[in-house]
mmCIF file with all atom_site columns, all heavy atoms in Angstrom:
data_model
loop_
_atom_site.group_PDB
_atom_site.id
_atom_site.type_symbol
_atom_site.label_atom_id
_atom_site.label_alt_id
_atom_site.label_comp_id
_atom_site.label_asym_id
_atom_site.label_entity_id
_atom_site.label_seq_id
_atom_site.pdbx_PDB_ins_code
_atom_site.Cartn_x
_atom_site.Cartn_y
_atom_site.Cartn_z
_atom_site.occupancy
_atom_site.B_iso_or_equiv
_atom_site.pdbx_formal_charge
_atom_site.auth_seq_id
_atom_site.auth_comp_id
_atom_site.auth_asym_id
_atom_site.auth_atom_id
_atom_site.pdbx_PDB_model_num
ATOM 1   N N   . TYR C 1 67 ? 3.134   13.300 -7.810  1.00 0.00 ? 80 TYR C N   1
ATOM 2   C CA  . TYR C 1 67 ? 3.870   13.411 -9.078  1.00 0.00 ? 80 TYR C CA  1
ATOM 3   C C   . TYR C 1 67 ? 3.392   12.365 -10.068 1.00 0.00 ? 80 TYR C C   1
ATOM 4   O O   . TYR C 1 67 ? 2.784   11.352 -9.707  1.00 0.00 ? 80 TYR C O   1
ATOM 5   C CB  . TYR C 1 67 ? 5.386   13.226 -8.845  1.00 0.00 ? 80 TYR C CB  1
ATOM 6   C CG  . TYR C 1 67 ? 5.985   14.250 -7.921  1.00 0.00 ? 80 TYR C CG  1
ATOM 7   C CD1 . TYR C 1 67 ? 6.027   14.039 -6.542  1.00 0.00 ? 80 TYR C CD1 1
ATOM 8   C CD2 . TYR C 1 67 ? 6.507   15.439 -8.428  1.00 0.00 ? 80 TYR C CD2 1
ATOM 9   C CE1 . TYR C 1 67 ? 6.567   14.986 -5.686  1.00 0.00 ? 80 TYR C CE1 1
ATOM 10  C CE2 . TYR C 1 67 ? 7.061   16.393 -7.576  1.00 0.00 ? 80 TYR C CE2 1
ATOM 11  C CZ  . TYR C 1 67 ? 7.085   16.159 -6.214  1.00 0.00 ? 80 TYR C CZ  1
ATOM 12  O OH  . TYR C 1 67 ? 7.614   17.098 -5.376  1.00 0.00 ? 80 TYR C OH  1
ATOM 13  N N   . ARG C 1 68 ? 3.683   12.605 -11.349 1.00 0.00 ? 81 ARG C N   1
ATOM 14  C CA  . ARG C 1 68 ? 3.539   11.575 -12.376 1.00 0.00 ? 81 ARG C CA  1
ATOM 15  C C   . ARG C 1 68 ? 4.866   11.470 -13.110 1.00 0.00 ? 81 ARG C C   1
ATOM 16  O O   . ARG C 1 68 ? 5.622   12.445 -13.209 1.00 0.00 ? 81 ARG C O   1
ATOM 17  C CB  . ARG C 1 68 ? 2.410   11.910 -13.346 1.00 0.00 ? 81 ARG C CB  1
ATOM 18  C CG  . ARG C 1 68 ? 2.594   13.192 -14.113 1.00 0.00 ? 81 ARG C CG  1
ATOM 19  C CD  . ARG C 1 68 ? 1.407   13.460 -15.052 1.00 0.00 ? 81 ARG C CD  1
ATOM 20  N NE  . ARG C 1 68 ? 1.487   14.784 -15.653 1.00 0.00 ? 81 ARG C NE  1
ATOM 21  C CZ  . ARG C 1 68 ? 2.185   15.067 -16.744 1.00 0.00 ? 81 ARG C CZ  1
ATOM 22  N NH1 . ARG C 1 68 ? 2.862   14.105 -17.349 1.00 0.00 ? 81 ARG C NH1 1
ATOM 23  N NH2 . ARG C 1 68 ? 2.212   16.296 -17.226 1.00 0.00 ? 81 ARG C NH2 1
ATOM 24  N N   . GLN C 1 69 ? 5.124   10.288 -13.585 1.00 0.00 ? 82 GLN C N   1
ATOM 25  C CA  . GLN C 1 69 ? 6.402   10.051 -14.259 1.00 0.00 ? 82 GLN C CA  1
ATOM 26  C C   . GLN C 1 69 ? 6.188   9.934  -15.756 1.00 0.00 ? 82 GLN C C   1
ATOM 27  O O   . GLN C 1 69 ? 5.291   9.242  -16.227 1.00 0.00 ? 82 GLN C O   1
ATOM 28  C CB  . GLN C 1 69 ? 7.058   8.770  -13.722 1.00 0.00 ? 82 GLN C CB  1
ATOM 29  C CG  . GLN C 1 69 ? 8.476   8.567  -14.215 1.00 0.00 ? 82 GLN C CG  1
ATOM 30  C CD  . GLN C 1 69 ? 9.249   7.578  -13.359 1.00 0.00 ? 82 GLN C CD  1
ATOM 31  O OE1 . GLN C 1 69 ? 8.690   6.937  -12.477 1.00 0.00 ? 82 GLN C OE1 1
ATOM 32  N NE2 . GLN C 1 69 ? 10.535  7.455  -13.606 1.00 0.00 ? 82 GLN C NE2 1
ATOM 33  N N   . ASN C 1 70 ? 7.006   10.638 -16.503 1.00 0.00 ? 83 ASN C N   1
ATOM 34  C CA  . ASN C 1 70 ? 6.991   10.568 -17.968 1.00 0.00 ? 83 ASN C CA  1
ATOM 35  C C   . ASN C 1 70 ? 8.417   10.289 -18.410 1.00 0.00 ? 83 ASN C C   1
ATOM 36  O O   . ASN C 1 70 ? 9.272   11.169 -18.395 1.00 0.00 ? 83 ASN C O   1
ATOM 37  C CB  . ASN C 1 70 ? 6.483   11.880 -18.564 1.00 0.00 ? 83 ASN C CB  1
ATOM 38  C CG  . ASN C 1 70 ? 6.242   11.775 -20.064 1.00 0.00 ? 83 ASN C CG  1
ATOM 39  O OD1 . ASN C 1 70 ? 6.627   10.800 -20.689 1.00 0.00 ? 83 ASN C OD1 1
ATOM 40  N ND2 . ASN C 1 70 ? 5.605   12.786 -20.633 1.00 0.00 ? 83 ASN C ND2 1
ATOM 41  N N   . GLY C 1 71 ? 8.655   9.035  -18.766 1.00 0.00 ? 84 GLY C N   1
ATOM 42  C CA  . GLY C 1 71 ? 10.017  8.633  -19.067 1.00 0.00 ? 84 GLY C CA  1
ATOM 43  C C   . GLY C 1 71 ? 10.851  8.666  -17.803 1.00 0.00 ? 84 GLY C C   1
ATOM 44  O O   . GLY C 1 71 ? 10.496  8.079  -16.785 1.00 0.00 ? 84 GLY C O   1
ATOM 45  N N   . SER C 1 72 ? 11.937  9.395  -17.839 1.00 0.00 ? 85 SER C N   1
ATOM 46  C CA  . SER C 1 72 ? 12.812  9.498  -16.672 1.00 0.00 ? 85 SER C CA  1
ATOM 47  C C   . SER C 1 72 ? 12.556  10.753 -15.850 1.00 0.00 ? 85 SER C C   1
ATOM 48  O O   . SER C 1 72 ? 13.231  11.005 -14.864 1.00 0.00 ? 85 SER C O   1
ATOM 49  C CB  . SER C 1 72 ? 14.280  9.490  -17.128 1.00 0.00 ? 85 SER C CB  1
ATOM 50  O OG  . SER C 1 72 ? 14.537  10.589 -17.988 1.00 0.00 ? 85 SER C OG  1
ATOM 51  N N   . ARG C 1 73 ? 11.549  11.541 -16.241 1.00 0.00 ? 86 ARG C N   1
ATOM 52  C CA  . ARG C 1 73 ? 11.288  12.809 -15.572 1.00 0.00 ? 86 ARG C CA  1
ATOM 53  C C   . ARG C 1 73 ? 10.010  12.763 -14.732 1.00 0.00 ? 86 ARG C C   1
ATOM 54  O O   . ARG C 1 73 ? 9.050   12.069 -15.079 1.00 0.00 ? 86 ARG C O   1
ATOM 55  C CB  . ARG C 1 73 ? 11.180  13.951 -16.592 1.00 0.00 ? 86 ARG C CB  1
ATOM 56  C CG  . ARG C 1 73 ? 12.436  14.132 -17.434 1.00 0.00 ? 86 ARG C CG  1
ATOM 57  C CD  . ARG C 1 73 ? 12.372  15.400 -18.264 1.00 0.00 ? 86 ARG C CD  1
ATOM 58  N NE  . ARG C 1 73 ? 12.339  16.600 -17.419 1.00 0.00 ? 86 ARG C NE  1
ATOM 59  C CZ  . ARG C 1 73 ? 12.265  17.837 -17.905 1.00 0.00 ? 86 ARG C CZ  1
ATOM 60  N NH1 . ARG C 1 73 ? 12.188  18.031 -19.216 1.00 0.00 ? 86 ARG C NH1 1
ATOM 61  N NH2 . ARG C 1 73 ? 12.251  18.873 -17.089 1.00 0.00 ? 86 ARG C NH2 1
ATOM 62  N N   . LEU C 1 74 ? 10.030  13.505 -13.619 1.00 0.00 ? 87 LEU C N   1
ATOM 63  C CA  . LEU C 1 74 ? 8.867   13.607 -12.750 1.00 0.00 ? 87 LEU C CA  1
ATOM 64  C C   . LEU C 1 74 ? 8.234   14.979 -12.911 1.00 0.00 ? 87 LEU C C   1
ATOM 65  O O   . LEU C 1 74 ? 8.928   15.988 -12.998 1.00 0.00 ? 87 LEU C O   1
ATOM 66  C CB  . LEU C 1 74 ? 9.266   13.411 -11.283 1.00 0.00 ? 87 LEU C CB  1
ATOM 67  C CG  . LEU C 1 74 ? 9.689   12.010 -10.833 1.00 0.00 ? 87 LEU C CG  1
ATOM 68  C CD1 . LEU C 1 74 ? 10.069  12.040 -9.369  1.00 0.00 ? 87 LEU C CD1 1
ATOM 69  C CD2 . LEU C 1 74 ? 8.581   10.996 -11.074 1.00 0.00 ? 87 LEU C CD2 1
ATOM 70  N N   . TYR C 1 75 ? 6.903   14.998 -12.946 1.00 0.00 ? 88 TYR C N   1
ATOM 71  C CA  . TYR C 1 75 ? 6.167   16.245 -13.058 1.00 0.00 ? 88 TYR C CA  1
ATOM 72  C C   . TYR C 1 75 ? 5.195   16.323 -11.885 1.00 0.00 ? 88 TYR C C   1
ATOM 73  O O   . TYR C 1 75 ? 4.460   15.360 -11.621 1.00 0.00 ? 88 TYR C O   1
ATOM 74  C CB  . TYR C 1 75 ? 5.398   16.313 -14.376 1.00 0.00 ? 88 TYR C CB  1
ATOM 75  C CG  . TYR C 1 75 ? 6.291   16.294 -15.592 1.00 0.00 ? 88 TYR C CG  1
ATOM 76  C CD1 . TYR C 1 75 ? 6.682   15.084 -16.167 1.00 0.00 ? 88 TYR C CD1 1
ATOM 77  C CD2 . TYR C 1 75 ? 6.757   17.481 -16.162 1.00 0.00 ? 88 TYR C CD2 1
ATOM 78  C CE1 . TYR C 1 75 ? 7.509   15.058 -17.284 1.00 0.00 ? 88 TYR C CE1 1
ATOM 79  C CE2 . TYR C 1 75 ? 7.583   17.460 -17.286 1.00 0.00 ? 88 TYR C CE2 1
ATOM 80  C CZ  . TYR C 1 75 ? 7.956   16.254 -17.832 1.00 0.00 ? 88 TYR C CZ  1
ATOM 81  O OH  . TYR C 1 75 ? 8.786   16.234 -18.936 1.00 0.00 ? 88 TYR C OH  1
ATOM 82  N N   . GLU C 1 76 ? 5.168   17.464 -11.212 1.00 0.00 ? 89 GLU C N   1
ATOM 83  C CA  . GLU C 1 76 ? 4.265   17.616 -10.081 1.00 0.00 ? 89 GLU C CA  1
ATOM 84  C C   . GLU C 1 76 ? 2.825   17.710 -10.569 1.00 0.00 ? 89 GLU C C   1
ATOM 85  O O   . GLU C 1 76 ? 2.534   18.378 -11.556 1.00 0.00 ? 89 GLU C O   1
ATOM 86  C CB  . GLU C 1 76 ? 4.622   18.868 -9.269  1.00 0.00 ? 89 GLU C CB  1
ATOM 87  C CG  . GLU C 1 76 ? 3.854   18.940 -7.954  1.00 0.00 ? 89 GLU C CG  1
ATOM 88  C CD  . GLU C 1 76 ? 4.411   19.990 -7.011  1.00 0.00 ? 89 GLU C CD  1
ATOM 89  O OE1 . GLU C 1 76 ? 5.361   20.698 -7.401  1.00 0.00 ? 89 GLU C OE1 1
ATOM 90  O OE2 . GLU C 1 76 ? 3.888   20.098 -5.893  1.00 0.00 ? 89 GLU C OE2 1
ATOM 91  N N   . LEU C 1 77 ? 1.933   17.032 -9.854  1.00 0.00 ? 90 LEU C N   1
ATOM 92  C CA  . LEU C 1 77 ? 0.524   17.036 -10.214 1.00 0.00 ? 90 LEU C CA  1
ATOM 93  C C   . LEU C 1 77 ? -0.101  18.393 -9.916  1.00 0.00 ? 90 LEU C C   1
ATOM 94  O O   . LEU C 1 77 ? 0.350   19.135 -9.042  1.00 0.00 ? 90 LEU C O   1
ATOM 95  C CB  . LEU C 1 77 ? -0.228  15.951 -9.436  1.00 0.00 ? 90 LEU C CB  1
ATOM 96  C CG  . LEU C 1 77 ? 0.195   14.503 -9.677  1.00 0.00 ? 90 LEU C CG  1
ATOM 97  C CD1 . LEU C 1 77 ? -0.617  13.573 -8.776  1.00 0.00 ? 90 LEU C CD1 1
ATOM 98  C CD2 . LEU C 1 77 ? 0.025   14.104 -11.131 1.00 0.00 ? 90 LEU C CD2 1
ATOM 99  N N   . ARG C 1 78 ? -1.168  18.695 -10.636 1.00 0.00 ? 91 ARG C N   1
ATOM 100 C CA  . ARG C 1 78 ? -1.928  19.903 -10.348 1.00 0.00 ? 91 ARG C CA  1
ATOM 101 C C   . ARG C 1 78 ? -2.658  19.748 -9.017  1.00 0.00 ? 91 ARG C C   1
ATOM 102 O O   . ARG C 1 78 ? -2.905  18.640 -8.551  1.00 0.00 ? 91 ARG C O   1
ATOM 103 C CB  . ARG C 1 78 ? -2.934  20.160 -11.473 1.00 0.00 ? 91 ARG C CB  1
ATOM 104 C CG  . ARG C 1 78 ? -2.287  20.417 -12.826 1.00 0.00 ? 91 ARG C CG  1
ATOM 105 C CD  . ARG C 1 78 ? -3.330  20.478 -13.919 1.00 0.00 ? 91 ARG C CD  1
ATOM 106 N NE  . ARG C 1 78 ? -2.727  20.715 -15.223 1.00 0.00 ? 91 ARG C NE  1
ATOM 107 C CZ  . ARG C 1 78 ? -3.372  20.656 -16.379 1.00 0.00 ? 91 ARG C CZ  1
ATOM 108 N NH1 . ARG C 1 78 ? -4.672  20.361 -16.387 1.00 0.00 ? 91 ARG C NH1 1
ATOM 109 N NH2 . ARG C 1 78 ? -2.738  20.881 -17.512 1.00 0.00 ? 91 ARG C NH2 1
ATOM 110 N N   . ASP C 1 79 ? -3.038  20.895 -8.438  1.00 0.00 ? 92 ASP C N   1
ATOM 111 C CA  . ASP C 1 79 ? -3.691  20.865 -7.129  1.00 0.00 ? 92 ASP C CA  1
ATOM 112 C C   . ASP C 1 79 ? -4.925  19.976 -7.125  1.00 0.00 ? 92 ASP C C   1
ATOM 113 O O   . ASP C 1 79 ? -5.166  19.242 -6.166  1.00 0.00 ? 92 ASP C O   1
ATOM 114 C CB  . ASP C 1 79 ? -4.079  22.287 -6.703  1.00 0.00 ? 92 ASP C CB  1
ATOM 115 C CG  . ASP C 1 79 ? -2.865  23.123 -6.310  1.00 0.00 ? 92 ASP C CG  1
ATOM 116 O OD1 . ASP C 1 79 ? -1.784  22.539 -6.109  1.00 0.00 ? 92 ASP C OD1 1
ATOM 117 O OD2 . ASP C 1 79 ? -3.002  24.355 -6.215  1.00 0.00 ? 92 ASP C OD2 1
ATOM 118 N N   . ARG C 1 80 ? -5.703  20.024 -8.203  1.00 0.00 ? 93 ARG C N   1
ATOM 119 C CA  . ARG C 1 80 ? -6.925  19.220 -8.250  1.00 0.00 ? 93 ARG C CA  1
ATOM 120 C C   . ARG C 1 80 ? -6.594  17.729 -8.247  1.00 0.00 ? 93 ARG C C   1
ATOM 121 O O   . ARG C 1 80 ? -7.275  16.928 -7.600  1.00 0.00 ? 93 ARG C O   1
ATOM 122 C CB  . ARG C 1 80 ? -7.733  19.577 -9.501  1.00 0.00 ? 93 ARG C CB  1
ATOM 123 C CG  . ARG C 1 80 ? -9.022  18.765 -9.626  1.00 0.00 ? 93 ARG C CG  1
ATOM 124 C CD  . ARG C 1 80 ? -9.857  19.226 -10.803 1.00 0.00 ? 93 ARG C CD  1
ATOM 125 N NE  . ARG C 1 80 ? -10.363 20.581 -10.604 1.00 0.00 ? 93 ARG C NE  1
ATOM 126 C CZ  . ARG C 1 80 ? -11.149 21.202 -11.474 1.00 0.00 ? 93 ARG C CZ  1
ATOM 127 N NH1 . ARG C 1 80 ? -11.508 20.599 -12.592 1.00 0.00 ? 93 ARG C NH1 1
ATOM 128 N NH2 . ARG C 1 80 ? -11.592 22.420 -11.222 1.00 0.00 ? 93 ARG C NH2 1
ATOM 129 N N   . GLU C 1 81 ? -5.513  17.353 -8.952  1.00 0.00 ? 94 GLU C N   1
ATOM 130 C CA  . GLU C 1 81 ? -5.108  15.950 -8.983  1.00 0.00 ? 94 GLU C CA  1
ATOM 131 C C   . GLU C 1 81 ? -4.580  15.513 -7.620  1.00 0.00 ? 94 GLU C C   1
ATOM 132 O O   . GLU C 1 81 ? -4.839  14.389 -7.172  1.00 0.00 ? 94 GLU C O   1
ATOM 133 C CB  . GLU C 1 81 ? -4.041  15.751 -10.058 1.00 0.00 ? 94 GLU C CB  1
ATOM 134 C CG  . GLU C 1 81 ? -4.525  15.974 -11.473 1.00 0.00 ? 94 GLU C CG  1
ATOM 135 C CD  . GLU C 1 81 ? -3.388  15.937 -12.483 1.00 0.00 ? 94 GLU C CD  1
ATOM 136 O OE1 . GLU C 1 81 ? -2.471  16.783 -12.388 1.00 0.00 ? 94 GLU C OE1 1
ATOM 137 O OE2 . GLU C 1 81 ? -3.413  15.060 -13.363 1.00 0.00 ? 94 GLU C OE2 1
#
Side-chain angles (χ1 to χ4, degrees):
Y80 299 89
R81 61 181 172 85
Q82 189 162 8
N83 189 350
S85 60
R86 301 189 64 181
L87 290 179
Y88 297 88
E89 189 167 3
L90 298 177
R91 297 172 180 171
D92 288 346
R93 179 175 294 182
E94 294 173 299

